[in-house]
Amino acid sequence: MRALVDLPGNRGKQITWKIAGQAAATPPGVLKAQRSGDGSVLVSTGPLSVRIPAQGFLPLADVRLNGAAFPGNMTGFTFRAGAQTWSTADAGPVKIDIVEQGPAALVVLVSGRHGAESSPFDFSAKLVFWAGKPYVEVDYRVVAARGASEQLIDSWSWSAGMSTAASRVREGHGHYGVSLKESGEKVSY
């Protein structure tokens, strides 16, 4: 069972579930996913609509918030090791699986080579979209799949490429608690 409960503040809350003898009606569907002709997946949560590209991984393209185009372009997740760089934006065809499509959440798994054919890395990502919410949760992982069993990485980056001064981006990271950062220019972790 999935539930998304908006509770004010950051303090702990208690939720009590009562199970009735009859199932509740399913809320009207605002959470939609559909595969396009090129294999991309189009997702709408209500306020957020995006395309998960079938070529490369940004992770999102054609982002719209409340109908307005997102003021920027996302880049792929990029590693640099010495003079070499590998970006998920350069990945060939990626595998996209819709693994859960319910009234509260939509879960999409994306996997592929982390960059061009020469990349020693593969990636996988789980994207969780919530009905009626203007954000997406991205759980991104990378695996040293080819070459040496130990790979030294000099840097890792991802950008939302904000193109207007009034734009803001918020990044959250962590397990068992989330640290949030917000900026109009650059957010790094």
Side-chain angles (χ1 to χ4, degrees):
M1 175 169 135
R2 279 196 187 264
L4 179 61
V5 182
D6 274 335
L7 299 172
N10 292 324
R11 298 174 49 148
K13 306 288 190 274
Q14 180 176 339
I15 300 171
T16 304
W17 297 99
K18 294 183 181 178
I19 308 299
Q22 194 170 9
T26 302
V30 295
L31 196 56
K32 298 176 184 150
Q34 129 185 7
R35 213 169 274 278
S36 68
D38 70 352
S40 297
V41 172
L42 308 172
V43 176
S44 175
T45 68
L48 173 69
S49 65
V50 301
R51 181 174 61 85
I52 302 169
Q55 281 288 125
F57 182 66
L58 302 177
L60 308 172
D62 305 329
V63 178
R64 299 187 76 74
L65 293 170
N66 298 315
F70 178 73
N73 292 307
M74 294 185 189
T75 64
F77 294 94
T78 303
F79 287 130
R80 185 177 59 76
Q84 294 184 299
T85 59
W86 300 281
S87 174
T88 57
D90 300 327
V94 296
K95 182 179 178 189
I96 304 173
D97 292 314
I98 300 169
V99 295
E100 180 181 336
Q101 189 168 1
L106 171 75
V107 179
V108 179
L109 299 181
V110 183
S111 59
R113 188 178 295 253
H114 196 293
E117 198 64 32
S118 63
S119 172
F121 302 107
D122 285 347
F123 77 92
S124 66
K126 178 171 73 171
L127 287 74
V128 181
F129 298 88
W130 298 96
K133 299 300 174 188
Y135 54 82
V136 59
E137 174 186 332
V138 179
D139 179 7
Y140 163 79
R141 296 164 192 248
V142 66
V143 175
R146 290 163 292 285
S149 61
E150 186 174 299
Q151 300 281 344
L152 299 177
I153 302 298
D154 295 323
S155 69
W156 174 89
S157 65
W158 174 81
S159 172
M162 307 306 285
S163 60
T164 63
S167 302
R168 313 281 300 162
V169 66
R170 183 177 293 167
E171 174 265 343
H173 63 272
H175 295 281
Y176 311 110
V178 176
S179 169
L180 283 177
K181 296 178 184 178
E182 183 173 339
S183 174
E185 296 173 20
K186 182 178 179 182
V187 177
S188 61
Y189 164 62

